[in-house]
């Protein structure tokens, strides 16, 4: 890309002299956009300044804060006439979707289209927030004839930065290493961002994978506002490698089958409009490649499944800083990158304005079809579980996404059983909910709940399976008939226990583990049972927590009742240690849990920032249990005896292959410590003398030794598994699997399977018919069988827990939460 002189006139839009009432970004900042990085607070201040200068055209609204306290905000821009009735426009838009509280008929003729532009979801893809400055100025400049015309029938919603913490992390680092003038040499340190980089948020989560799951505070606050508006168009701004040109719609395959012909056609239409402006400036671009529309939690797919035209725009620029020399020997600058994003932003608004009527009619039709039950072959989804807390987790996901649910009046039906993979008669486990496909968000419901996702092209950008039944570990039925669904009645409340001896806490879901963590954190000593028993004619399963007055402080019962109330777990009073059947409380089968186990995790360089972030967020925000973060590169200087448990998340740990490090970790275990090795940490340990061995895949004898260059991309797919669901057989008599049935569904993302341990416990194993759904390459798939995935190995006085999968995947794989809690608190000596 040639270094271009950046000016508004060169973009193909007619711009007039800046009005005095609206300061340009350059006038406000004191420098030209793109010649320096703008910190988040200055971007927010500029938006507020523009709103103060043009209160008739702009409204800014704070919708939340990040983990680090930075402001999340939206800017609404339109004509003064539209702004005077902004809330009426919003409500009317919801009426078109059937989502308004009132039942008034929507108006479509004079209603404006709503275009939502989201900038900087990945903090170190920083050019788009700079483009926001140019865009809001162009929209509010009273001398700009074109934007003034477009805004007559369009409301533009601008989110200047979805990820302020990541952005400022990147910019503060970059500003600390750049000189007076930037260095375009790619080898310069200003192009080598240190761990963890600015891409992720505070907890090192990728916010562009969190739209549907809403595990992060930024997403939770943003989606509430998104659902209040439901735009017709949403654009998610990104950057890709600096050697890449610009990418815009139309999207690549696979494209989910629910995406309508209109949504596809509009992407082509808008792509052609972008191309017109890029061609005028001789800017390179590509379409229809790499960025698909399948995984439901992106900033393009989530809006698409909610009736909008959702699109990703990708500018080459990661690692580019203020300027970098690319492989074409051209210097790509931040000025260039901001100009390109600015261009596609105005082009999007232009096309929306010119096609307003069609946008609104198709938007309304999308939701009309949803409410009339035209989406998919299954008309009702029913889920059932013994533990109401497992059901509550699923209900939370549905509520966060605006999906309606209720209970059945009749439970006599047949449907596709997610767990057996065949048509079965419904069996109520004790608690159930039902979701109808005749509702406004039927498309989103289908995508999140359907048992099998149709993948038209296996070259996908992300995972290919995520069905809630498997992710939440809840039995589900997909039913082809429309069942009658009634509103859900109020749930039961937890009753406090009163005992002078002790209490029993059933261990049936992650909520029980949260009770355990709460008790330990507050100094209450807890035991658990390894064998089933009976007390007062009630059966209690393995893992049941036993909390006794013995050895505990006077307030133990108050702490217990507080925990059970907070996490909705009903405890039972117990007045004696003599059981009707099974072990009494003085038996060796009743195990003590170490008082407040001290947990540490290796993080920093060599660890995966996203994987380490999952573990950190899990302990800090979900389990709410203290964890110490240790830099992996400094492990030699730590006294590991200060900790009871060391978690090693996914990563590429060079130190694990070093004898000194391995010996130190083994000494820690032999001395009574516990290591929990996850994903590639387990693979790395299998290469040395830890007692586990990776199974070697047998080569395909029929493979053609002569490969065609044109088939290089499709050839690699046959050995890939971007994310498919497999059934794991569990030995649920082992503490690692307490609270589970004798199976677990895992999201498999690699081909690793381990040989059965001879001197350890093979708790989670994979057998021949373990595949459930999702894409697994034809050459890889046959090797995913007959091996161990979860194991526990005793070593001296301590334990090593091996988990080859990611049970905390993006913290939405809810059914994995309990596995990690068991590994920390229950598994081992």
């Amino acid at each position: 890309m040639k270094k271009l002189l950046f000016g508004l006139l060169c973009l193909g839009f007619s711009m007039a002299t800046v009005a005095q009432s609206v300061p340009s970004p350059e006038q406000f900042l004191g420098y030209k956009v793109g010649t320096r990085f703008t910190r988040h607070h200055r971007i927010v201040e500029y938006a507020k300044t523009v709103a103060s200068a043009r209160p008739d055209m702009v409204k800014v609204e704070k919708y939340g804060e990040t983990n680090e306290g930075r402001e999340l905000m939206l800017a609404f821009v339109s004509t003064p006439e539209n702004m005077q009735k902004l809330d009426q426009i919003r409500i009317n838009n919801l009426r078109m979707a059937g989502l308004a509280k009132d039942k008034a008929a929507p108006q479509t003729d004079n209603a404006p289209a709503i275009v939502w532009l989201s900038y900087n979801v990945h903090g170190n893809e920083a050019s788009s927030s700079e483009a926001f400055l140019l865009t809001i100025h162009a929209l509010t400049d009273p001398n700009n004839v074109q934007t003034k015309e477009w805004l007559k029938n369009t409301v533009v919603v601008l989110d200047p930065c979805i990820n302020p913490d990541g952005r400022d992390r990147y910019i503060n680092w970059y500003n600390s290493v750049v000189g007076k003038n930037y260095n375009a040499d790619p080898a310069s340190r200003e192009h080598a961002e240190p761990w963890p980089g600015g891409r992720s948020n505070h907890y090192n989560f990728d916010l562009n994978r969190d739209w549907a799951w809403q595990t992060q505070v930024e997403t939770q606050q943003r989606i509430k506002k998104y659902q209040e508006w439901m735009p017709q168009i949403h654009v998610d701004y990104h950057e890709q490698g600096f050697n890449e040109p610009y990418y815009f719609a139309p999207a690549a395959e696979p494209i989910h089958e629910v995406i309508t012909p209109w949504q596809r056609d509009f992407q082509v239409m808008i792509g052609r409009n972008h191309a017109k402006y890029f061609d005028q400036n001789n800017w390179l671009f590509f379409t229809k490649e790499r960025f698909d529309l399948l995984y439901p939690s992106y900033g393009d797919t989530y809006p698409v499944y909610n009736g909008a035209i959702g699109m990703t725009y990708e500018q080459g620029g990661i690692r580019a800083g203020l300027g970098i020399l690319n492989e074409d020997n051209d210097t790509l600058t931040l000025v260039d990158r901001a100009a390109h994003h600015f261009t596609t932003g105005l082009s999007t608004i232009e096309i929306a304005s010119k096609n307003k009527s069609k946008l609104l009619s198709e938007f309304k039709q999308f939701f009309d079809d949803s409410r009339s039950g035209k989406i998919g072959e299954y008309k009702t989804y029913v889920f059932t579980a013994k533990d109401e807390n497992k059901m509550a987790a699923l209900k939370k996901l549905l509520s966060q996404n605006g999906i309606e649910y209720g209970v059945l009046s009749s439970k006599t039906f047949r449907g596709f059983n997610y767990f057996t993979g065949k048509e079965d008669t419904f069996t109520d486990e004790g608690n159930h909910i039902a979701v109808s496909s005749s509702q406004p968000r039927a498309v989103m419901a289908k995508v999140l709940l359907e048992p099998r996702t149709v993948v038209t092209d296996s070259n996908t950008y992300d995972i290919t399976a995520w069905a809630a039944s498997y992710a939440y570990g809840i039995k589900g039925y997909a039913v082809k008939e429309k069942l009658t669904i009634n509103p859900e009645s109020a749930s039961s409340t937890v009753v406090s226990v009163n005992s002078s001896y002790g209490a029993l806490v059933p261990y049936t879901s992650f909520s029980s583990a949260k009770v355990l963590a709460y008790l330990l954190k507050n100094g209450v000593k807890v035991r658990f049972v390894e064998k089933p028993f009976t007390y007062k004619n009630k059966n209690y399963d393995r893992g049941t927590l036993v909390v006794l007055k013995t050895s505990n402080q006077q307030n133990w019962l108050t702490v217990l009742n507080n925990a059970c109330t907070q996490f909705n777990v009903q405890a039972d009073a117990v007045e004696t240690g003599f059981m009707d059947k099974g072990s009494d409380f003085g038996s060796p089968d009743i195990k003590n849990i170490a008082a407040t186990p001290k947990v540490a995790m290796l993080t920093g360089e060599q660890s995966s920032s996203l994987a380490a972030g999952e573990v950190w967020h899990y302990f800090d925000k979900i389990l709410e249990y203290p964890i110490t973060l240790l830099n992996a590169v400094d492990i030699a200087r730590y006294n590991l005896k200060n900790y009871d448990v060391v978690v090693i998340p996914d990563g590429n740990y060079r130190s694990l292959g070093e004898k000194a490090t391995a010996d130190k970790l083994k000494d820690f275990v032999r001395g009574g410590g516990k290591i929990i090795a996850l994903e590639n940490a387990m693979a790395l340990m299998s290469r040395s003398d830890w007692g586990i061995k990776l199974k070697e895949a047998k080569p395909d004898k029929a493979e053609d030794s002569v490969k065609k260059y044109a088939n290089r991309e499709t050839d690699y797919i046959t050995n890939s598994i971007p994310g498919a669901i497999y059934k794991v057989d569990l030995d649920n008599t082992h503490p690692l699997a307490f609270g589970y049935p004798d199976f677990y569904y895992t999201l498999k993302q690699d081909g690793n399977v381990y040989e059965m341990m001879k001197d350890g416990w093979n708790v989670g194993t994979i057998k021949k018919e373990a595949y459930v759904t999702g894409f697994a390459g034809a050459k890889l798939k046959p090797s995913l069988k007959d091996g161990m995935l979860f194991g526990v190995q005793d070593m001296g006085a301590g334990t090593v827990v091996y988990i080859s999968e990611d049970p905390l995947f993006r913290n939405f794989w809810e059914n994995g939460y309990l596995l990690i809690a068991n590994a920390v608190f229950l598994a081992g000596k």
Side-chain angles (χ1 to χ4, degrees):
M1 182 187 301
K2 300 291 183 184
K3 184 176 181 181
L4 300 173
L5 176 63
F6 173 54
L8 298 184
L9 286 173
C10 79
L11 302 178
F13 298 107
S14 175
M15 299 296 180
T17 305
V18 176
Q20 293 299 316
S21 60
V22 182
S24 70
E26 184 173 352
Q27 289 172 324
F28 177 82
L29 298 170
Y31 55 87
K32 182 179 179 179
V33 169
T35 58
R36 290 173 57 183
F37 281 112
T38 308
R39 288 185 175 137
H40 176 69
H41 74 280
R42 293 292 284 162
I43 292 172
V44 171
E45 288 170 0
Y46 181 68
K48 292 178 179 179
T49 297
V50 173
S52 295
R54 293 302 307 266
D56 58 330
M57 290 189 68
V58 182
K59 175 189 175 184
V60 293
E61 178 181 343
K62 178 180 177 179
Y63 67 84
E65 290 184 352
T66 68
N67 289 288
E68 297 175 19
R70 292 181 175 87
E71 183 174 347
L72 296 167
M73 68 167 290
L74 297 173
F76 301 85
V77 186
S78 194
T79 61
E81 294 76 18
N82 287 332
M83 294 302 292
Q84 289 176 3
K85 52 183 180 180
L86 191 61
D87 202 52
Q88 294 172 250
I89 291 172
R90 181 185 68 81
I91 293 172
N92 184 69
N93 200 59
L94 293 180
R95 286 173 182 155
M96 282 191 283
L99 295 170
K101 293 180 180 179
D102 63 46
K103 301 300 180 183
Q107 200 230 47
T108 57
D109 292 341
N110 297 319
I114 298 172
V115 176
W116 186 308
L117 307 180
S118 291
Y119 301 94
N120 219 157
V121 65
H122 293 147
N124 57 2
E125 299 175 14
S127 65
S128 66
S129 286
E130 307 293 341
F132 159 80
L133 300 170
L134 302 170
T135 303
I136 193 171
H137 177 251
L139 292 175
T140 54
D141 178 0
N143 294 318
N144 190 314
V145 177
Q146 288 176 309
T147 59
K148 185 185 297 184
E149 188 65 28
W150 300 336
L151 291 177
K152 287 180 180 179
N153 64 1
T154 309
V155 172
V156 181
V157 186
L158 305 152
D159 189 331
C161 185
I162 289 178
N163 183 10
D165 290 350
R167 178 183 174 83
D168 274 3
R169 185 189 315 132
Y170 169 71
I171 290 173
N172 290 336
W173 164 78
Y174 183 84
N175 288 343
S176 74
V177 296
V178 70
K180 179 180 178 182
N181 299 307
Y182 68 80
N183 189 327
D185 183 350
S188 176
R189 69 170 183 169
E190 66 199 69
H191 305 298
E193 192 180 359
W195 193 99
R199 177 183 178 88
S200 55
N201 76 340
H202 174 81
Y203 282 101
N204 301 138
F205 268 72
D206 185 334
L207 293 179
N208 192 42
R209 270 77 176 169
D210 193 48
W211 280 69
W213 320 125
Q214 299 169 48
T215 70
Q216 300 301 295
V217 66
E218 296 93 342
T219 316
Q220 292 161 5
Q221 297 170 110
R222 185 179 70 256
I223 296 298
K224 287 179 182 178
K225 297 307 298 184
Y226 187 94
Q227 290 176 356
E228 290 177 10
W229 280 92
M230 300 295 289
Q232 280 76 48
I233 294 178
H234 180 268
V235 176
D236 194 30
Y237 285 92
H238 289 267
E239 290 189 78
Q240 52 191 326
F242 67 85
N243 286 313
E244 304 287 346
Y246 200 99
Y247 164 84
F248 47 72
E253 292 286 349
I255 295 177
H256 198 288
E257 61 181 346
V258 298
I259 296 175
T260 68
W262 160 249
Q263 288 173 317
R264 289 171 175 255
D265 292 345
F266 188 90
Q267 289 212 341
V268 174
M269 184 193 311
I270 202 163
R272 292 189 185 281
N273 202 60
H274 296 342
K276 176 181 66 176
Y277 293 114
F278 273 58
D279 289 344
Q280 287 175 6
N281 290 280
N282 297 308
W283 295 338
L284 293 177
F285 60 88
F286 67 97
T287 65
K288 305 180 289 293
E289 296 179 53
R290 197 174 304 161
F291 304 105
D292 58 77
L293 292 175
L294 186 69
Y295 173 70
S297 209
Y298 283 139
D300 54 6
T301 51
Y302 187 88
V304 164
Y305 299 145
N306 279 278
I309 310 296
M311 293 171 291
T312 289
Y313 295 167
E314 296 264 358
Q315 163 65 50
I318 294 176
R319 290 185 53 217
L322 293 177
I324 196 167
L325 195 66
N326 65 19
E327 62 187 9
D328 294 330
N329 208 34
D330 291 330
T331 300
L332 173 67
T333 68
L334 181 59
V335 171
D336 299 329
R337 291 147 58 199
H340 301 161
H341 274 328
F342 169 64
T343 301
T344 54
L346 289 193
S347 174
T348 300
I349 297 166
E350 176 189 25
I351 288 296
S353 175
K354 291 180 178 179
N355 293 274
K356 188 272 296 186
S357 296
K358 183 68 171 174
L359 273 171
L360 295 189
S361 65
E362 291 290 342
F363 177 80
K364 184 177 182 299
Q365 188 64 52
F366 178 96
F367 289 99
D368 287 346
D369 290 345
S370 295
R371 294 197 303 276
S372 63
K374 295 181 179 180
I375 307 302
E377 63 173 318
Y378 297 115
K379 303 308 175 186
T380 313
Y381 301 92
V382 184
F383 302 92
T384 182
K386 293 179 182 179
D387 191 297
E388 65 177 315
N389 288 313
K390 295 189 73 170
M391 192 64 71
L394 178 57
K395 289 192 286 188
K396 180 182 177 183
L397 174 73
L398 298 174
S399 297
Q400 285 178 320
N401 288 288
I403 297 171
E404 301 165 0
Y405 60 87
V407 294
L408 298 173
S409 55
S410 172
K411 301 176 187 177
T412 304
F413 62 90
R414 291 175 62 83
F416 177 88
N417 185 328
Y418 290 70
F419 285 2
T420 65
K422 60 184 180 181
E423 288 285 319
D424 281 333
T425 300
F426 175 74
T427 301
D428 193 348
E429 300 282 320
N431 300 278
H432 84 278
I433 59 169
V435 179
S436 172
S437 66
S438 299
Q439 62 167 296
R441 290 194 170 91
V443 171
M444 197 71 210
K446 170 182 165 59
V447 173
L448 294 181
L449 304 179
E450 63 184 344
R452 302 285 187 268
T453 300
V454 176
V455 182
T456 56
D457 186 323
S458 54
N459 192 14
T460 178
Y461 200 61
D462 212 288
I463 64 173
T464 57
W466 49 80
S469 184
Y470 305 118
Y472 284 73
I474 297 174
K475 183 184 288 186
Y477 295 81
V479 186
K480 292 183 179 179
E481 62 181 297
K482 183 177 181 180
L483 303 177
T484 301
I485 300 176
N486 299 317
E488 187 180 31
S489 58
S491 59
S492 59
T493 57
V494 171
V495 178
S496 295
V497 298
N498 186 19
S499 172
S500 60
Y501 184 86
L504 304 174
V505 180
Y507 201 76
T508 54
S509 72
F510 179 62
S511 293
S512 301
K514 294 186 77 171
V515 170
L516 173 57
Y518 185 98
L519 295 174
L520 295 173
K521 189 172 60 175
N522 286 278
V524 176
K525 295 180 181 179
V526 183
R527 297 170 169 84
F528 70 95
V529 301
E530 286 197 324
K531 296 178 180 179
F533 67 96
T534 303
Y535 175 71
K536 287 188 176 181
N537 296 318
K538 182 176 180 179
N539 296 325
Y540 293 86
D541 208 347
R542 294 179 175 88
T544 298
L545 305 179
V546 181
V547 186
L548 303 178
K549 182 178 180 180
T550 301
S551 303
N552 272 312
Q553 302 296 323
Q554 290 184 347
N555 69 336
W556 69 273
L557 191 57
T558 300
V559 175
L560 173 67
N561 283 323
N562 288 343
C564 289
T565 299
Q566 182 175 341
F567 301 116
N568 194 43
V569 176
Q570 182 60 60
D572 295 327
V574 62
E575 302 298 343
T576 176
F578 189 93
M579 298 297 101
D580 302 344
K581 295 180 182 179
S583 301
D584 300 323
F585 291 163
S587 167
D589 291 333
I590 310 298
K591 302 296 184 182
N592 287 314
I593 299 175
T596 319
K598 294 181 180 178
V599 182
M601 178 184 70
L602 299 190
T603 186
E605 292 181 25
Q606 300 185 18
S607 72
S608 160
S609 62
L610 298 179
E614 290 170 355
V615 176
W616 180 24
H617 185 262
Y618 168 82
F619 277 91
D620 206 34
K621 303 285 280 189
I622 298 174
L623 187 62
E624 298 182 274
Y625 192 84
I627 186 170
T628 300
L629 308 185
L630 305 176
N631 285 320
V633 294
D634 297 326
I635 191 171
R637 69 180 182 85
Y638 293 121
N639 183 1
L640 296 182
K641 292 181 180 179
N642 292 330
Y643 309 100
D644 300 295
V645 181
V646 173
V647 182
I648 309 180
D650 187 37
N652 188 17
Y653 300 92
R654 297 182 297 277
S655 56
L656 286 183
E658 298 171 358
K659 186 176 184 303
T661 300
D663 288 346
K664 180 168 185 171
L665 290 172
K666 289 178 181 178
D667 287 343
F668 165 72
V669 176
R670 293 189 184 105
K674 183 189 298 183
I675 285 177
I676 302 172
L678 302 170
E679 301 183 84
N680 197 49
M682 178 179 174
L684 292 169
M685 292 168 72
S686 74
R687 299 172 190 169
S688 56
D689 186 22
W690 279 90
I692 55 170
K693 187 175 180 180
L694 191 65
K695 287 187 69 174
E696 294 185 9
K698 296 180 180 179
D700 185 356
K701 295 180 180 180
E703 184 176 353
D704 189 351
S705 60
V706 179
K707 297 181 179 180
K708 290 187 177 181
Y709 181 76
N711 297 337
R712 64 193 183 281
E713 292 186 1
T714 54
D715 284 345
Y716 108 86
I717 290 172
T718 62
N719 285 300
S720 71
I721 181 167
I725 295 173
Y726 275 72
K727 186 176 183 179
V728 179
D729 288 294
L730 286 184
D731 173 9
N732 63 356
T733 68
H734 192 283
L736 180 61
F738 282 176
Y740 286 98
D742 60 1
F743 58 88
Y744 171 86
Y745 291 97
T746 192
L747 184 67
K748 193 125 189 63
Q749 299 178 82
D750 61 35
N752 290 347
V753 176
Y754 295 81
E755 293 185 359
M756 298 290 190
M757 289 190 293
K758 296 179 180 179
D759 298 318
W761 303 105
N762 299 291
V763 181
T765 57
I766 189 168
K767 298 187 177 178
K768 291 183 179 179
E769 302 302 324
Y771 169 81
V772 178
T773 183
F775 177 79
K779 293 179 181 177
L780 177 67
K781 198 172 183 180
S783 66
L784 298 178
K785 63 181 181 180
D786 300 327
M788 182 264 289
L789 296 182
F790 310 151
V792 179
Q793 177 186 22
D794 294 332
M795 184 182 293
T799 304
V800 183
V801 179
Y802 300 109
I803 302 177
S804 70
E805 307 304 304
D806 184 0
L808 301 178
F809 183 72
R810 296 176 187 166
N811 277 186
F812 89 81
W813 205 261
E814 182 90 16
N815 202 31
Y817 289 179
L818 184 61
L819 194 66
I820 295 297
N822 289 350
V824 172
F825 299 125
L826 306 186
K829 292 186 176 181

